[in-house]
Amino acid sequence: MAISLSNFLLPISLFLSAVGAATVTYDFDVSWVHANPDGLQTRPVMGINGKWPIPPIVATKGDRIIVNVKNSLGNESTSLHFHGLYQNGTTHMDGPVMVTQCPIPVGSSFTYNFTVDQPGTYWYHSHNKGQYPDGLRGPLIIHDPDSPHKDLYDEEIVLTFSDWYHGLMSDLLAGFVSIANPSGAEPVPESSLVNETRDLPISIEPGKTYLFRMINMGAFAAQYVWFEGHTMRIVEVDGIYTEPTDAEMIYMTAAQRYSVLITAKNSTDANFAFVGSMDQDLFDVVPDGLNPNVTGWLVYDSTKDNPAPKEIEAFEPFDDFDLVPQDKEELYEHVDQTVELNMKMDNLNDGANYAFFNDVTYVRPKVPTLYTVLSTGSNATNPVIYGSNTNQILLKANEVVEIVLNNDDPGKHPFHLHGHAFQVVSRSEEEAGAYDVSAAADLPSTPMRRDTVLVRPNGNIVLRFKADNPGIWLFHCHIEWHVASGLIATMIESPLDIQRQLAGNIPTDHWDNCRAANVPTEGNAAGNTVDLLDLTGEFKSPGELPVGFEARGIVALVFSCVAAFLGMGVIGWYGMAPVKAKTG
Ligand SMILES: *[C@@H]1O[C@H](CO)[C@@H](O)[C@H](O)[C@H]1NC(C)=O
Ligand SMILES: *[C@@H]1O[C@H](CO)[C@@H](O)[C@H](O)[C@H]1NC(C)=O
Ligand SMILES: *[C@@H]1O[C@H](CO)[C@@H](O)[C@H](O)[C@H]1NC(C)=O
Ligand SMILES: *[C@@H]1O[C@H](CO)[C@@H](O)[C@H](O)[C@H]1NC(C)=O
Ligand SMILES: *[C@@H]1O[C@H](CO)[C@@H](O)[C@H](O)[C@H]1NC(C)=O
Ligand SMILES: *[C@@H]1O[C@H](CO)[C@@H](O)[C@H](O)[C@H]1NC(C)=O
Ligand SMILES: *[C@@H]1O[C@H](CO)[C@@H](O)[C@H](O)[C@H]1NC(C)=O
Ligand SMILES: [Cu+2]
């Protein structure tokens, strides 16, 4: 097996300890640069050390990873999350802002420092202000000297797929959660990218077998992926090794990963296209002229043509529910706590569209949730202190937790849990409605595990995991628009164990960032340190629409009032850029 590392990709230092585990250090200076990855528009992107695309993080199982982040953006705070890593014992290094840390303000630095004991294909991205679609997203690969598949391939190749917007997220988000967008229509990407570019040639040597590590780093679109003339053999999903399983086409939601083996042909007679095609079912309106596809080629002979991909008749992807984990971990039969999450989209009385779990849309607390745990002693087990809008779920040490998620929305949503991979024990077809335990089919004996899974339109999923990782772990839709509209729950796992592990052990730079960002670090969700049950002053969502009011009715009413005041001016306002982005 060979891995290619250009000098650009090499970490700045690499120290081997006696037992072979290394410390891999990256210095990341985050700043705006310019790029034109789809050849259609140059735009500002968030780069690292003056470059974009940003470098992959590469380490070996057992290593310590240190990422020194400097925020040189000048006009936005930031953070990094290491998607899929369990952060066992280091929940304070997980990255989501106002959950496990304060934002890293402009001009400040923050050091992420953690060990990785899990091999596989991951990625890292900003977990602040819906920023990662602005380019702050890159692969994170953990090599495994003991991989059960290591004798099955000669070389590995990382491939990222992603959607791409010409507008900046700060502008697009302002238009998305807004009275100007009462239906909650998500901006549609302008392009699809592979490795943050288009038309990517990959040199292939005949007869060799390659491990393709594929990552969907997109904000919104799932991608159908297929290689003409070659079968994919799936061996890993989201860091979990699988029994090798053949697939002609996969469906990769935002944030999912697939490692597949592809054996090259013995002849160099022709080159072959591969395609990533964005799932347009996700788009409310498909703009005229949108090309949902991105193409690359397996190039056996660079003097030969790279053929245009053949049009396919139908998308018939492999169903990931059928995968079997290589370790055959058995179904958790006995459930200690079932968490039912009923999700929907609806308007609140500001006219904007929000996303809800059990009628609550997430609003960030005044104090990062981890710091509420660390500053409230025995009261940390009382869910009340975490506020009215964080969808907090308290988990007890080592219990088996079942999440039943009922999607009361006609859209597809990829759900992600931080800190764990979960067993996917049931997944309905579309329009199945809520999960009905009594009518449920037999559960698989060795369910597929991963950290991000799709729930189908008006369908349901059932996930199980063991609460063996004390920490604050978000459970959220990985469509970045829905993070903004509040489709987030907060798992507060063994809070007293978190205190035992971390009280007094949070590095000082974490607190320094809070001070610089002017964020309080003690007390309940409202920052109250005296009466922890008093949430006066907490951040809350707008109120519900009055009973009897149709959402669209009140929106029309607000519009006519505003129109009466502003006259023709409102037409210009309604036609602002964020709205235009949706209709092409
Ligand atoms: C931040 O700076 C970038 C690069 O100069 C600019 O394109 C963007 O509009 C700025 N964002 C905000 C919110 O001011
Ligand atoms: C990273 O954490 C380890 C363990 O707590 C500590 O020994 C080490 O000094 C830290 N390194 C940095 C650069 O913060
Ligand atoms: C795609 O990008 C990754 C880094 O993000 C790099 O390691 C890999 O070699 C690239 N693949 C190709 C085929 O250029
Ligand atoms: C390539 O040739 C080898 C050796 O003859 C053979 O074992 C293998 O099956 C061939 N591969 C393909 C894809 O035809
Ligand atoms: C994208 O690929 C699909 C599947 O082959 C095809 O039907 C469609 O026409 C392609 N679109 C464009 C703009 O090439
Ligand atoms: C925690 O709750 C108890 C009552 O259960 C109360 O007496 C105590 O003062 C609280 N602790 C703090 C720090 O507010
Ligand atoms: C976290 O580490 C403990 C041992 O310290 C282990 O029992 C547990 O399974 C680990 N959890 C995860 C999610 O890796
Ligand atoms: Cu969603």
Side-chain angles (χ1 to χ4, degrees):
M1 166 180 106
I3 47 168
S4 63
L5 287 173
S6 76
N7 53 357
F8 167 62
L9 305 178
L10 272 177
I12 59 147
S13 61
L14 210 143
F15 298 107
L16 281 177
S17 79
V19 288
T23 295
V24 189
T25 303
Y26 291 85
D27 282 352
F28 282 176
D29 190 352
V30 182
S31 69
W32 290 104
V33 297
H34 284 85
N36 183 4
D38 62 1
L40 298 174
Q41 186 168 309
T42 299
R43 51 153 289 176
V45 297
M46 291 184 178
I48 285 180
N49 301 338
K51 292 189 176 129
W52 189 88
I54 63 176
I57 293 176
V58 182
T60 300
K61 193 176 68 171
D63 286 355
R64 177 174 295 281
I65 295 179
I66 292 178
V67 184
N68 297 308
V69 178
K70 166 119 206 283
N71 179 1
S72 298
L73 288 168
N75 61 7
E76 286 190 38
S77 62
T78 194
S79 85
L80 291 182
H81 165 60
F82 307 89
H83 183 116
L85 298 190
Y86 303 146
Q87 297 288 7
N88 198 340
T90 50
T91 188
H92 57 306
M93 298 296 180
D94 194 43
V97 161
M98 297 314 292
V99 180
T100 60
Q101 68 168 84
C102 295
I104 309 171
V106 169
S108 288
S109 298
F110 186 105
T111 295
Y112 293 94
N113 176 359
F114 51 87
T115 55
V116 274
D117 277 324
Q118 29 172 167
T121 308
Y122 304 92
W123 60 303
Y124 70 100
H125 61 82
S126 163
H127 217 300
N128 186 37
K129 292 174 167 283
Q131 253 167 13
Y132 79 77
D134 285 332
L136 198 47
R137 56 187 189 190
L140 193 172
I141 307 299
I142 309 296
H143 286 125
D144 183 5
D146 311 314
S147 163
H149 308 120
K150 67 172 184 294
D151 297 330
L152 301 180
Y153 61 92
D154 304 294
E155 281 186 40
E156 66 172 64
I157 296 175
V158 174
L159 282 185
T160 66
F161 291 83
S162 44
D163 48 24
W164 188 246
Y165 291 89
H166 292 165
L168 286 163
M169 285 304 280
S170 52
D171 297 333
L172 294 173
L173 281 167
F176 173 64
V177 185
S178 137
I179 191 175
N181 184 26
S183 70
E186 299 82 4
V188 174
E190 272 81 20
S191 298
S192 177
L193 303 178
V194 59
N195 265 23
E196 305 285 30
T197 185
R198 292 178 60 79
D199 301 323
L200 180 75
I202 305 178
S203 298
I204 294 294
E205 288 180 44
K208 278 192 172 173
T209 297
Y210 294 84
L211 179 76
F212 281 86
R213 296 180 179 272
M214 300 193 283
I215 307 168
N216 186 341
M217 306 195 304
F220 182 19
Q223 303 253 2
Y224 296 98
V225 176
W226 67 96
F227 291 76
E228 291 186 359
H230 297 71
T231 297
M232 294 175 271
R233 176 160 286 195
I234 301 168
V235 293
E236 178 223 326
V237 289
D238 300 356
I240 306 294
Y241 291 130
T242 65
E243 295 279 287
T245 308
D246 286 355
E248 298 305 323
M249 176 187 286
I250 58 167
Y251 183 83
M252 190 161 51
T253 72
Q256 284 184 331
R257 291 88 64 208
Y258 282 85
S259 285
V260 303
L261 297 173
I262 293 182
T263 297
K265 298 184 182 301
N266 285 330
S267 115
T268 58
D269 289 353
N271 300 328
F272 293 82
F274 67 91
V275 184
S277 186
M278 298 193 289
D279 178 4
Q280 298 180 83
D281 285 359
L282 290 156
F283 307 155
D284 286 21
V285 178
V286 179
D288 287 343
L290 174 72
N291 183 353
N293 306 328
V294 63
T295 305
W297 292 274
L298 303 180
V299 178
Y300 287 83
D301 180 345
S302 59
T303 66
K304 294 204 164 69
D305 284 346
N306 290 332
K310 296 182 196 69
E311 180 157 353
I312 56 156
E313 311 241 301
F315 294 106
E316 286 167 349
F318 175 83
D319 186 349
D320 60 336
F321 190 76
D322 296 337
L323 290 169
V324 173
Q326 193 260 343
D327 62 11
K328 301 261 174 51
E329 182 185 273
E330 286 178 17
L331 172 75
Y332 291 121
E333 298 261 11
H334 174 79
V335 171
D336 298 298
Q337 180 179 190
T338 293
V339 176
E340 188 173 302
L341 295 174
N342 297 311
M343 64 153 287
K344 65 166 188 187
M345 310 295 208
D346 205 351
N347 297 78
L348 289 175
N349 69 14
D350 63 347
N353 195 277
Y354 293 87
F356 302 81
F357 282 134
N358 304 340
D359 297 321
V360 175
T361 185
Y362 180 90
V363 179
R364 71 178 188 84
K366 278 192 169 165
V367 175
T369 302
L370 173 62
Y371 301 158
T372 293
V373 169
L374 293 179
S375 61
T376 54
S378 60
N379 293 277
T381 56
N382 183 349
V384 173
I385 69 170
Y386 301 103
S388 327
N389 273 102
T390 59
N391 282 313
Q392 65 274 49
I393 297 158
L394 272 285
L395 307 181
K396 292 200 181 73
N398 293 313
E399 67 181 358
V400 171
V401 181
E402 177 179 78
I403 298 176
V404 174
L405 188 147
N406 298 314
N407 176 11
D408 195 8
D409 175 81
K412 299 175 181 175
H413 302 269
F415 276 94
H416 169 49
L417 176 61
H418 291 217
H420 293 273
F422 41 68
Q423 298 184 339
V424 183
V425 308
S426 177
R427 171 163 62 193
S428 79
E429 295 302 324
E430 328 191 346
E431 306 305 327
Y435 182 65
D436 176 355
V437 186
S438 61
D442 285 345
L443 304 181
S445 56
T446 53
M448 183 260 295
R449 292 200 311 284
R450 59 189 318 163
D451 63 42
T452 306
V453 70
L454 181 80
V455 62
R456 298 190 171 112
N458 294 110
N460 62 70
I461 45 175
V462 182
L463 316 174
R464 290 182 187 171
F465 63 95
K466 191 169 182 197
D468 60 1
N469 188 14
I472 310 299
W473 309 119
L474 291 186
F475 177 72
H476 65 93
C477 176
H478 219 291
I479 290 176
E480 202 58 357
W481 307 112
H482 301 166
V483 168
S485 58
L487 201 43
I488 301 175
T490 314
M491 305 281 168
I492 298 163
E493 182 171 333
S494 332
L496 301 183
D497 287 326
I498 301 176
Q499 293 174 356
R500 276 188 278 277
Q501 290 179 355
L502 295 181
N505 291 331
I506 304 283
T508 51
D509 61 331
H510 294 223
W511 306 123
D512 294 344
N513 275 278
C514 298
R515 224 168 288 122
N518 210 9
V519 172
T521 54
E522 287 185 333
N524 65 17
N528 192 330
T529 55
V530 180
D531 181 354
L532 297 177
L533 304 184
D534 178 3
L535 290 156
T536 309
E538 68 172 330
F539 295 135
K540 294 183 78 163
S541 62
E544 287 177 24
L545 288 171
V547 180
F549 260 92
E550 286 283 316
R552 274 160 212 283
I554 200 164
V555 168
L557 179 76
V558 173
F559 264 112
S560 55
C561 294
V562 174
F565 278 114
L566 300 184
M568 292 302 288
V570 76
I571 292 166
W573 175 49
Y574 192 72
M576 277 180 345
V579 179
K580 259 192 305 198
K582 266 164 249 131
T583 53

